[in-house]
Amino acid sequence: MTGAAKPGDQYPTRLSTTAELLRREPVVWTSPGRGPIDSDALEAYERDGFLVFGDLFNDDEVQCYQAEADRLLTDATMLADERTVVEPSGGELRSIFEVHTVSPVFAELVADPRLLERARQILDSEVYIHQSRINLKPGFGSTGFYWHSDFETWHAEDGMPVPRALSFSIALTENLPVNGPLMIMPGSHRTFVGCEGDTPLEHFRLSLRRQEIGTPSTSALARLAERFGISQVTGRAGAVTVFDSNCMHGSSDNITPYPRRNVFVVYNSVENSLVEPFSSPARRPEFIASRDFTPVRACRRSAAHG
Amino acid sequence: MTGAAKPGDQYPTRLSTTAELLRREPVVWTSPGRGPIDSDALEAYERDGFLVFGDLFNDDEVQCYQAEADRLLTDATMLADERTVVEPSGGELRSIFEVHTVSPVFAELVADPRLLERARQILDSEVYIHQSRINLKPGFGSTGFYWHSDFETWHAEDGMPVPRALSFSIALTENLPVNGPLMIMPGSHRTFVGCEGDTPLEHFRLSLRRQEIGTPSTSALARLAERFGISQVTGRAGAVTVFDSNCMHGSSDNITPYPRRNVFVVYNSVENSLVEPFSSPARRPEFIASRDFTPVRACRRSAAHG
């Protein structure tokens, strides 16, 4: 049994049938010249739904984030923390949520002007942190993430009205073709793919480990891949990928000995703050979907990047 | 509890501790000029343990093999056949063994001079078919194969004395970086990595779906990857990869909509025919490890490739 869409819901999902809807809102809300991203790059982001900045963070900074990640991973209190997610097969750590709250180093990272100014530029408003986390693929068989649009989940389960949000992924390790890097369908961000099925109560307990509800049908995925193709995002540790909240993306498992780690920061426009979930019986916990809509203030000016 | 190695066993494995042993036998048994592989390619094979032939089969031939694979896959009697292996999660077809017996088209393929002459050249003897199969990764989440050396299994579970065997993988679909292509550690074929653990009775019923026993330790894999790196084998449908029986290889899962299909043919030297398993309580079935040591005879001369 699946429920009915809420009256007036522009992006109905988790129903008994699926639809592919054209996105109504812009991807880039601002005009060029109003931030650090140049017009060519902004155009590429608008077209593809993502953009890679190869050298936003230097090696020393990456080392500092790596050391902080190591510290969290070996911290016994973190392992018992509800914000910590383990592999579906049990045991190994997969994600730590709300890293900007548990760590002063990552608190500084999420307020770093290099991220913040770019987020504000694209969304043309003040922004707040909807979610932050470290993802770990320690290798030797750690699982991937199946295809999904973040916005589909944030809309259905968190009550995010429209796709005026974006994610930064800061690579702490090298992303190779072989260690399960991010795969994106470039251009898919303009299509909202409704997903079949009812959202169960406390769905997040399962979905953060292995998502099944909130994933598109194989026929929708085949159509999208046919139309847009699949890009693999590889690059050095320190590279930063920014991607629209409605990109269709996923990743393979990682059987190599090369771990894959990144920090995710999701900024949402303060003009798009959460209401009640559109297709879920209850809100998810605040460590997954924050309801503190306070605009982020830049923590410092970066010496290297002004 | 794990057993003791058989007296005189050069390649002990499935014990309580693991060892990395240097391979004693040659990789290339012949001298150059005695077959279709030129000396540069033969040297590369000796060094890396594998070799790719980009255009051994043309598009028409690939289409014919694809059509035959489709026919087998939709054949209700095949689904019920013991030689058919399904995905660990159940349902979807993963492999069909002994394809040269179930299909006249693949019977011709395994006797194709383009494969046979190359196998004979490398192994410097008549050869017989140890195993043949189609592997399928239909996409949308089909699982990969964890790191393993084929020879480790064939020695332990089938009684193959030494690594004087090789596999041909004939790609029926394009191998992309994103759809779980073959990963090989080039040069690893010279190291025999013993694996921990006792081989359970009828282990093959599980191991063909998801292997756990007969896989190297993470520390051994990390050492090998550090030393040899990891190559991803990508290329067009019709490309053929030949690899030594002791290569460390594996593949990621495939969440893309692009299926990945290939035909595997394993040739063993008739001078290396099977004895009793070295580290297993019983032989595996003959559809997995043939004990018909009759040399393969070339079925025809290929018009295109002489």
Side-chain angles (χ1 to χ4, degrees), chain B residues 142-212:
Chain B
S142 36
T143 52
F145 292 87
Y146 194 69
W147 297 107
H148 64 285
S149 146
D150 291 328
F151 174 67
E152 192 277 340
T153 295
W154 299 340
H155 183 70
E157 302 192 24
D158 300 336
M160 184 181 285
V162 299
R164 191 175 177 178
L166 50 76
S167 301
F168 282 93
S169 169
I170 301 105
L172 302 192
T173 50
E174 197 178 350
N175 284 316
L176 303 157
V178 293
N179 67 346
L182 179 66
M183 295 191 281
I184 297 189
M185 300 192 191
S188 61
H189 61 302
R190 294 203 175 274
T191 306
F192 178 83
V193 182
C195 299
E196 281 178 39
D198 232 6
T199 315
L201 200 62
E202 306 229 317
H203 176 233
F204 70 92
R205 292 192 193 280
L206 178 67
S207 70
L208 300 180
R209 301 172 75 181
R210 178 157 41 201
Q211 188 161 5
E212 281 167 14

Side-chain angles (χ1 to χ4, degrees), chain B residues 6 16 40 65 82 92 96-97 101 105 120-121 136 143 181 185 195 255 277 291 300:
Chain B
K6 279 197 180 174
S16 56
D40 283 358
Y65 301 140
E82 63 165 354
E92 288 218 279
I96 299 174
F97 276 80
T101 304
V105 173
R120 283 195 193 125
Q121 180 183 7
L136 304 157
T143 52
M185 300 192 191
C195 299
I255 69 166
R291 287 180 182 263
R300 59 181 167 93

Side-chain angles (χ1 to χ4, degrees), chain A residues 140-141 143-147 177-178 180 183 185 217-219 221-222 225-226 229-232 250-258, chain B residues 140-141 144-147 177-178 180 183 185 217-219 221-222 225-226 229-232 250-258:
Chain A
F140 302 115
T143 53
F145 292 88
Y146 195 68
W147 296 106
V178 294
M183 294 190 282
M185 299 191 191
S217 66
T218 54
S219 55
L221 285 175
E226 171 74 26
I230 297 174
S231 292
Q232 220 181 24
S251 62
S252 298
D253 60 7
N254 177 16
I255 69 167
T256 76
Y258 313 130
Chain B
F140 301 116
F145 292 87
Y146 194 69
W147 297 107
V178 293
M183 295 191 281
M185 300 192 191
S217 66
T218 54
S219 56
L221 284 175
E226 172 74 25
I230 296 174
S231 292
Q232 222 180 22
S251 62
S252 298
D253 60 6
N254 177 15
I255 69 166
T256 76
Y258 313 131

Side-chain angles (χ1 to χ4, degrees), chain A residues 28 31-33 35-46 51 121:
Chain A
V28 173
S31 29
I37 310 176
D38 67 34
S39 58
D40 283 357
L42 218 50
E43 213 171 278
Y45 180 83
E46 185 152 37
L51 204 53
Q121 181 183 7

Side-chain angles (χ1 to χ4, degrees), chain A residues 8 165 196 249 272 281:
Chain A
E196 281 178 40
H249 66 289
N272 190 38

